Amino acid sequence: MPITVASKDSGLTITLSGEIDHHAARDMMAQLDQAIAERVPARLTLDLSGVTFMDSSGIAVLLRALRQMERHGGSLRAAHIPAQARRVLDAAGVGRLIPFD
């Protein structure tokens, strides 16, 4: 699961691409943890525009990123969410915890 990291001021944007399923989630979580720990951003945006499929493992990835950001006193939002991934996130009520753009 490729991720792309871009920093700007005190913010960080991480672009996720490909499938977020149980096979990819563990590696993705490790990469997100590392990027957050190295940069300690005040704001993190997860850009999901490149996600081609998401199952419940994607929910776990987003919630882990949220916990990491809260631990560092930062905030998280998700942007550019494809329709299939949005249905998964909406069904689980993730939008009550993480703002969507």
Side-chain angles (χ1 to χ4, degrees):
M1 169 63 66
I3 71 167
T4 304
V5 180
S7 296
K8 183 176 180 183
D9 301 322
S10 62
L12 183 67
T13 298
I14 298 178
T15 303
L16 309 178
S17 60
E19 295 186 3
I20 305 177
D21 58 14
H22 70 280
H23 295 291
R26 184 179 308 258
D27 184 48
M28 182 178 294
M29 285 184 208
Q31 291 180 54
L32 287 170
D33 287 350
Q34 181 178 356
I36 293 167
E38 287 175 355
R39 294 166 182 85
V40 191
R43 294 174 316 279
L44 172 61
T45 300
L46 292 180
D47 180 342
L48 305 180
S49 60
V51 172
T52 57
F53 172 82
M54 177 187 286
D55 63 14
S56 61
S57 300
I59 296 167
V61 169
L62 269 67
L63 293 179
R64 182 171 179 132
L66 176 62
R67 282 193 306 272
Q68 293 289 15
M69 290 304 297
E70 288 175 342
R71 187 173 300 136
H72 294 294
S75 64
L76 171 68
R77 70 183 184 94
H80 311 291
I81 305 169
Q84 186 274 329
R86 181 66 184 248
R87 285 190 299 276
V88 171
L89 297 172
D90 286 344
V94 175
R96 292 188 305 250
L97 302 171
I98 300 170
F100 297 158
D101 287 346

